[in-house]
Amino acid sequence: LVTAGVYLLIRFNILLLDMYMLKILLLLSGLTMMMAGICANYEYDLKKIIALSTLSQLGLMMSILSMGYSDLAFFHLLTHAMFKALLFLCAGMVIHTMGDNQDIRMMGGMSIYIPKTSLCLNISNMALCGIPFLAGFYSKDLILEMVMLSNLNLMIFYLYYFSTGLTMFYTIRLLMYLMISDFNLMSIYNLYEEDYIMLKGMLILLFMSLISGSMLSWMIFCYPYMVYLSMNMKLMVLYVSLMGGFMGWLISNMSIYSVSKFLMSYNI
C-alpha cells in the first residue's frame, strides 16, 4: 500500500525519461527525505517514528528513480521491505507488551523483558541505517555512490548525506529510549513475556534482512555497477553514519526520556 506509487513509477520509468519534471521530482524527494528525518527526531510516538523513517526511505527511492536508476530503486524497495516489515512486527510486539501504549518515553529496558524481540528490533534498525553487510547497506551504499558519480549540484548531495545521517540519528535515539534507559512505566504488572508465535515469522524476516541485500545484488543486476571513487568518497556514507550516530548518542544522553523530564527537551 505504501510503496504502490513508487512501484508504479518504476514500472513506467521508460515513459518518464526525458521529462523536465524529473528534476522537480528529484528536488521534492530530497526535501521529503530531509523533512521526514527531522520530524522523526522530534517524535515521541513509536509508530510515528517508524512511519516517518519509511517516508524517508520512500524519498530516497523516488529521488534515485528520478535520476534514472530504476533498478536501484527497485532493489532498495525490496531490501527495505524486508527489514521494515521486521521493524513493524517488533514495534507492534513492544506496543502490545507495554499494554497498548505507544509513547517511547514510557518504555525502556525492553532488552531485559523481551530479549529476542529486542534483538530483532535492533538488527532491523541497524539494517535500516546501513551498517555494512546487512541488507540496507548494499542498496543504500550503491545509491549514494551513484549519486556521487552523477553530475548533480552540491545541494542534492548535501540533502542525501544529511538525510542519511538523520537516519542514524533517530535510530540511535530509538535504541537509547527503548533498550538502554530504565523502565519508565508507572506500574510493572502489565508486562507480557515473549510471543513465540510471532517470533517464528520474525526469525525468518531476520534471516532475510541479513542476507537479502547480498543475494539480490547478485541476482537482479545483469552486470555489476562499476563505481570508481576516491577513498574518502567511498567512505563518506560511513562517515555521516558514524557522525549521526554520535549525535544521537549525545542528544539521548541529555536524560530527557521520561515524561516528567520532558520539558527539559526545550534546552535543545
Side-chain angles (χ1 to χ4, degrees):
L1 183 66
V2 174
T3 56
V6 183
Y7 182 63
L8 190 70
L9 285 187
I10 287 171
R11 288 294 291 251
F12 282 107
N13 67 325
I14 304 171
L15 289 178
L16 303 172
L17 278 181
D18 273 336
M19 289 177 60
Y20 183 68
M21 287 294 290
L22 280 186
K23 296 178 177 59
I24 303 174
L25 180 67
L26 175 64
L27 178 65
L28 284 180
S29 27
L31 289 174
T32 304
M33 281 203 302
M34 193 183 72
M35 183 247 356
I38 291 174
C39 288
N41 283 322
Y42 286 100
E43 199 57 62
Y44 282 108
D45 190 347
L46 181 61
K47 283 204 283 196
K48 268 187 193 174
I49 291 176
I50 299 178
L52 282 168
S53 80
T54 309
L55 182 60
S56 171
Q57 306 298 313
L58 285 183
L60 181 63
M61 292 172 211
M62 290 296 289
S63 54
I64 196 66
L65 178 61
S66 65
M67 288 165 57
Y69 302 109
S70 59
D71 47 352
L72 279 185
F74 189 57
F75 178 36
H76 189 60
L77 192 142
L78 290 180
T79 53
H80 173 256
M82 295 295 163
F83 52 78
K84 195 50 74 73
L86 178 61
L87 192 56
F88 266 116
L89 278 182
C90 297
M93 188 61 221
V94 166
I95 288 171
H96 182 66
T97 305
M98 287 285 115
D100 301 334
N101 190 7
Q102 296 185 13
D103 201 342
I104 61 169
R105 290 168 292 182
M106 303 269 190
M107 302 174 191
M110 283 294 96
S111 50
I112 300 168
Y113 300 111
I114 37 173
K116 301 179 187 65
T117 309
S118 303
L119 172 101
C120 293
L121 184 80
N122 282 334
I123 290 185
S124 61
N125 254 334
M126 286 181 208
L128 169 66
C129 52
I131 300 290
F133 311 115
L134 290 177
F137 169 73
Y138 288 94
S139 58
K140 204 166 194 175
D141 203 71
L142 195 51
I143 282 174
L144 287 167
E145 284 172 0
M146 294 312 279
V147 169
M148 273 195 280
L149 275 183
S150 67
N151 52 355
L152 286 169
N153 52 2
L154 200 57
M155 194 187 79
I156 303 292
F157 188 82
Y158 276 151
L159 277 180
Y160 270 99
Y161 278 94
F162 186 57
S163 309
T164 308
L166 282 178
T167 304
M168 194 74 177
F169 197 117
Y170 58 72
T171 299
I172 296 291
R173 175 175 176 261
L174 199 60
L175 185 140
M176 298 282 284
Y177 272 92
L178 258 68
M179 309 291 160
I180 295 177
S181 58
D182 295 329
F183 185 64
N184 270 327
L185 264 180
M186 308 307 165
S187 77
I188 204 165
Y189 299 115
N190 52 0
L191 283 178
Y192 301 95
E193 54 184 6
E194 288 274 9
D195 193 351
Y196 288 101
I197 301 173
M198 278 189 73
L199 268 179
K200 291 187 180 71
M202 277 190 211
L203 287 177
I204 298 171
L205 275 176
L206 178 68
F207 185 62
M208 285 306 289
S209 67
L210 285 176
I211 66 164
S212 70
S214 50
M215 191 182 73
L216 283 171
S217 67
W218 292 330
M219 285 170 66
I220 70 176
F221 293 134
C222 54
Y223 58 92
Y225 275 101
M226 166 74 182
V227 182
Y228 185 71
L229 294 168
S230 67
M231 185 72 177
N232 273 332
M233 291 177 84
K234 277 284 202 188
L235 291 177
M236 191 62 130
V237 190
L238 297 180
Y239 289 161
V240 291
S241 292
L242 287 175
M243 207 164 71
F246 182 62
M247 284 295 295
W249 181 73
L250 283 183
I251 296 294
S252 302
N253 270 344
M254 294 170 72
S255 300
I256 49 176
Y257 40 77
S258 73
V259 186
S260 53
K261 299 180 193 169
F262 160 63
L263 291 174
M264 291 171 55
S265 69
Y266 289 110
N267 288 339
I268 302 177

